[in-house]
């Protein structure tokens, strides 16, 4: 079983890369992708703690935004982590997330939530990508709410008045940059209406022109009609179909390996990278 989308505490997951590797091994996975938001900072720890029988597929989930303001997540897998353009694209997003957090905090302060940047940073591991989940954890720690889920449902969802976006490349630019770094690009949870507005079926042609390799079809946020439609789009454009958990440790209900990717589909995906970068022990 191969799980192609997970998070560690180098972004908004709660497990260290080591814990993630150990849990993947215990769950009987044969392959796991580490895809923290806009960073490769967790890669080395995962490599150092890799277990026999488990293949490590290194990547990142790149935050994107369409020109009309729709948030899109693009999984970049098996790219060269030293590639300067991709590294600087991710660094720009991470830097921008700090100012964006200050703006969200200011809006919350105006609504009488007493919360500071220090409170949020206290929820963040060293070197991790800052995001709304850390703010949610800080609000929980202060007793305003019971869980991350409750904070997202009530005040931090994409359509909330407290929501502020951050710099992000367009999906097309992200795909081109991932591909130029030798990797493969898979659009994540493209039809998850839980996340607010989603991209149109028509926009896939433009992503394919940019070099899109795959579609994450099997994901808990997709209904069966969503999965059928995404499968149809994948067939039409000869794209790889993936499945994954989007595991975040205790940060979300998603359980490791709850959805997975067919090994034959993964083989097609891997063949589209410019070098063999799957790591085995
Ligand atoms: P950000 O990247 O800062 O805009 O935050 C988005 C992240 O918040 C997503 O990648 C999810 O992992 C997380 N998230 C979204 N909705 C929820 C939720 N209901 N509960 C927990 N985490 C969530
Ligand atoms: Zn996340
Ligand atoms: Fe995502
Ligand atoms: Fe994710």
């Amino acid at each position: 079983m191969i799980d192609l989308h997970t998070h560690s505490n180098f972004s908004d997951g709660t497990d260290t890369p080591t814990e993630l590797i150990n849990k993947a091994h215990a769950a009987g996975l044969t392959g796991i992708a580490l895809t923290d938001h806009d960073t490769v900072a967790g890669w080395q720890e995962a490599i150092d703690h890799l277990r026999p029988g488990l293949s490590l597929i290194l990547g990142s989930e790149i935050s994107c935004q369409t020109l009309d303001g729709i948030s899109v997540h693009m999984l970049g897998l098996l790219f060269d982590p030293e590639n300067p353009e991709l590294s600087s694209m991710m660094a720009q997003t991470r830097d921008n997330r700090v100012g964006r957090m200050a703006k969200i905090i200011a809006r919350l302060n105006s609504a009488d939530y007493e919360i500071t940047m220090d409170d949020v940073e206290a929820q963040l591991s060293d070197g991790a990508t800052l995001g709304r989940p850390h703010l949610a954890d800080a609000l929980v720690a202060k007793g305003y709410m019971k869980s991350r889920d409750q904070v997202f449902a009530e005040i931090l969802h994409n359509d909330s008045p407290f929501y502020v976006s951050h710099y992000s490349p367009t999906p097309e630019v992200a795909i081109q940059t991932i591909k130029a770094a030798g990797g493969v690009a898979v659009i994540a949870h493209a039809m998850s209406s839980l996340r607010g507005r989603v991209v149109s079926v028509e926009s896939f042609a433009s992503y394919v022109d940019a070099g899109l390799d795959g579609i994450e079809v099997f994901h808990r946020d997709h209904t069966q009609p969503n999965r059928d439609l995404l499968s149809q789009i994948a067939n039409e454009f000869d794209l790889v179909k993936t499945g994954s958990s989007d595991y975040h440790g205790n940060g979300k209900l998603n359980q490791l390996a709850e959805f997975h990717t067919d090994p034959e589909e993964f083989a097609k995906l891997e063949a589209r990278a410019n070098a063999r970068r799957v790591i085995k022990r």
Side-chain angles (χ1 to χ4, degrees):
M1 265 194 316
I2 302 169
D3 187 338
L4 277 186
H5 177 177
T6 72
H7 297 266
S8 77
N9 66 344
F10 279 88
S11 63
D12 52 3
T14 58
D15 288 343
T16 63
T18 309
E19 288 164 342
L20 187 61
I21 292 288
N22 290 341
K23 287 181 186 178
H25 187 259
L29 280 173
T30 53
I32 184 167
L34 174 64
T35 52
D36 278 310
H37 298 285
D38 307 304
T39 187
V40 300
W43 285 20
Q44 193 57 51
E45 183 180 330
I47 294 168
D48 292 345
H49 294 87
L50 188 57
R51 308 273 297 251
L54 182 65
S55 294
L56 180 61
I57 301 133
L58 291 165
S60 177
E61 185 175 15
I62 308 290
S63 310
C64 308
Q65 203 175 337
T66 64
L67 294 176
D68 49 352
I70 300 173
S71 159
V72 173
H73 284 177
M74 193 63 62
L75 296 167
L77 302 169
L78 302 171
F79 55 79
D80 169 10
E82 310 277 333
N83 178 269
E85 286 77 24
L86 182 51
S87 302
S88 75
M89 188 173 83
M90 290 190 281
Q92 193 181 343
T93 301
R94 290 195 306 273
D95 288 349
N96 208 266
R97 281 170 165 280
V98 180
R100 175 257 198 155
M101 182 61 70
K103 288 185 194 155
I104 301 178
I105 289 172
R107 291 190 187 186
L108 287 169
N109 292 158
S110 319
D112 289 337
Y113 288 96
E114 285 179 27
I115 193 96
T116 65
M117 187 65 94
D118 283 347
D119 295 330
V120 177
E121 276 172 1
Q123 302 298 326
L124 188 70
S125 309
D126 282 350
T129 304
L130 178 65
R132 279 178 286 163
H134 306 105
L135 173 56
D137 291 347
L139 289 163
V140 171
K142 289 223 139 186
Y144 284 111
M145 305 249 171
K146 287 201 203 66
S147 66
R148 265 190 197 183
D149 258 340
Q150 188 190 0
V151 181
F152 270 91
E154 296 188 13
I155 58 173
L156 282 188
H157 54 85
N158 292 22
D159 301 320
S160 142
F162 299 110
Y163 180 74
V164 178
S165 66
H166 54 78
Y167 158 80
S168 325
T170 62
E172 286 86 351
V173 166
I175 294 165
Q176 286 158 354
T177 308
I178 291 163
K179 304 289 292 177
V184 294
V186 177
I187 188 167
H189 47 64
M191 296 204 167
S192 163
S193 53
L194 302 171
R195 305 182 66 252
R197 284 192 301 151
V198 300
V199 295
S200 67
V201 170
E202 291 69 38
S203 51
F204 280 82
S206 163
Y207 305 154
V208 171
D209 283 346
L212 185 70
D213 297 291
I215 299 179
E216 187 179 58
V217 173
F218 309 103
H219 185 285
R220 73 152 56 208
D221 294 350
H222 288 155
T223 62
Q224 191 57 47
N226 291 159
R227 289 173 202 172
D228 293 343
L229 181 55
L230 288 168
S231 283
Q232 217 180 304
I233 298 171
N235 291 340
E236 185 183 333
F237 292 110
D238 197 24
L239 300 173
V240 173
K241 294 169 205 153
T242 74
S244 33
S245 64
D246 201 359
Y247 174 74
H248 280 72
N250 300 328
K252 274 188 165 182
L253 297 174
N254 310 31
Q255 292 303 306
L256 200 58
E258 65 178 20
F259 290 98
H260 36 91
T261 300
D262 180 342
E264 283 178 24
E265 289 293 295
F266 179 66
K268 283 198 254 172
L269 193 61
E270 194 201 351
R272 294 173 74 146
N274 80 344
R276 302 282 67 82
R277 294 201 182 89
V278 175
I279 299 173
K280 296 185 169 109
R281 173 120 308 159

